[in-house]
Amino acid sequence: MDKRLMWATVAVVVAVLALIGRLAWVQVVWGPALAEQAHEQRARVYVEPARRGEITDRSGTPMAYTMQARSLTVSPDLLRKELREQDFNEMRAAGATEGVSEEEVARRLDDSVEKTLREMADQIPEMIAASSSDDAETPGAADPDDRDSDEKDPERNSDRDDKSDRDNKDKDSEKKGSEKDDEASGEVDPDEILDKLHADTHYEVLVRNVDPDVATEIAARFHGVAADHQDVRQYPNGAVGDNVVGRVSMDGQGQFGLEASADATLTGINGRTTEDVSTDGQVIPGTLRDAVPAEDGESVSLTLDLELQTYVQQLLEQAKANSGAKSAEAVVLDAHTAEILAMANTGTIDPNGDVEKQVEQGKDFENPTISAPFEPGSVAKIMTAAAAIEEGETTPDEVHQVPGTIDMAGVTVRDAWDHGTVPYTTTGIFGKSSNVGTLMLAQRVGEDRFADYLNRFGIGQPTGVELPNESAGLLPTREQWSGGTFANLPIGQGMSVTALQMAGVFQALANGGERVEPRIIREVTGPDGQVREQEAPATTRVVSPETARTVIDMFRAVTQEDPSGNQQGTGANGAIEGYQTSGKTGTAQKIDPDTGAYSMSDYWITFGGVAPADDPRYVIAVMVDDPDRGVEPGGSGGQSAAPIYRDIGSWLLNRDNVPLSKPMEGRLVLQAG
């Protein structure tokens, strides 16, 4: 008996020692890892998204802003597991599992979970549809100033720790091409929601763009559904200015235009908080920690004038339709600051519409005024004129005996019309757009000095505007010039410029000979309301103020009318009644892709000008790509972009109540004798 008691005592002692050892092993060896694992299972990191900054025009009119909405999200595999566990616990508590086989219990659990999923799939669309009928606003169209975007839902049971997995799933669900967010409406398909609830994934977006109040109500009613913050970027002006503004992707990153180039400025920095949750998803009080507030993005005010931008875009679309052109574009600058008042082109996408369909129609998000250079043609002759005047090689009234052709290094250049020797003044050479006369003056300037002026005018160089995908255009380096190069460049061939670069040439002359880098950003304002000082644009002295004034006055000849035709310029239909105007027409031959030579049927039609000429306020550059007829109604107006310059200038001068010009004394002499 004593022996048995001894062995029993030994067994108890061994068992106790084993338990003590096991407990020590768990606490000392496994303890830290288990504690860390438990912490990870309890902890939830909540992201407080920063609000993306607004984009406005120069007067503060919104062009892009962020509205508050929610996405209903779920972790399907985790949801089904938790629903199954809840139903099993209820069955066991009610005694429904006693005397029932495991197979029957599993079948009942499957039926119960499926019933819950179907209820969710049916009722979520009903709740959204009811909110749509009760509220005049579209779901998701909440007040853009609503800051209740980071409210944490205690019913969030889906695992949000795997952020990269969530982002990848989200991106995979985007529709290729359009990238248009799904809209929460009464048309949400219950079958689609049910399919997502059945998915073997860790993250699914059930519905996007849900009104925050409705989303919170749905998340509170249905276990496992979270109302995730979602920024909805709004573009209230549709296609107007969108070539400049661009758009953001579904994940909130800038894709085109200023949204892309100023993405870091607009985005801000997300905030974060950490809390512990119980196994049923309830937040454990007192566990809030590691709170880092969000820093909202800065807002950007553009130099664009939205009214003007709207008018110019409409005008260009009409001109394209009237003329049968492939496209048209225009840039309007402040003559002195080089601020971009309008930057427009045809075929701009409306980001609020069906993007994929618009792409099929040939529209896009591109901004060809800075990314698609073209040969300027005779518009570039104003640089030759400025060089010749600045170097003292001629005067406006000097008379030149201009033949119909000129030979330069074996290249024969003709004027656009047949003529014998004509006594054109320097003013007349440019007013009539004589290639021969222009090259005669260019020979006086010389190749080296002329190359220097092209550089000063910014040809072949990016302008530095704060937008993506800007082209520098094309200009052969001085070392690459051949004998025929100098027969082309002074008359606007053999080089390419963007519409913004072309506008910059005229801006330099309108601004007393000083070229200013164009700017599209007027000011940047932080979320605290403080305006961030912008770096002053670089300037380049191109010609003297006296030369600039002389050239502007000379080029009034281009829009001059004369019933006899002798003293009439090539752009008389660009004249603005009551104002002095100065500018230059251009017709540049395109390269025939089949022959590699200049085409005799395809052209870029250009016009650059200043309004008014006697007191420059605006610079206007226009390009029409390969029109079949005139840009005015019915195809009238001749093969010229001058009427577009006239209409833009007239609209601006009238809108801004610019005083009428003093009448010119007499008429400029283009042809002597």
Side-chain angles (χ1 to χ4, degrees), residues 167-175:
D167 287 346
N168 290 334
K169 295 289 183 183
D170 200 5
K171 290 177 181 177
D172 288 342
S173 69
E174 293 184 32
K175 185 178 180 181

Side-chain angles (χ1 to χ4, degrees), residues 344-401:
N345 55 265
T346 55
T348 297
I349 279 181
D350 178 356
N352 302 320
D354 187 330
V355 173
E356 189 172 13
K357 183 176 181 180
Q358 293 178 80
V359 170
E360 292 173 356
Q361 295 171 345
K363 298 183 178 182
D364 56 47
F365 285 104
E366 296 303 317
N367 185 358
T369 61
I370 63 170
S371 63
F374 50 86
E375 287 202 1
S378 294
V379 163
K381 291 175 182 176
I382 198 168
M383 293 186 286
T384 307
I389 295 293
E390 179 75 356
E391 294 297 326
E393 296 295 344
T394 189
T395 62
D397 298 325
E398 181 186 358
V399 178
H400 309 264
Q401 299 302 319

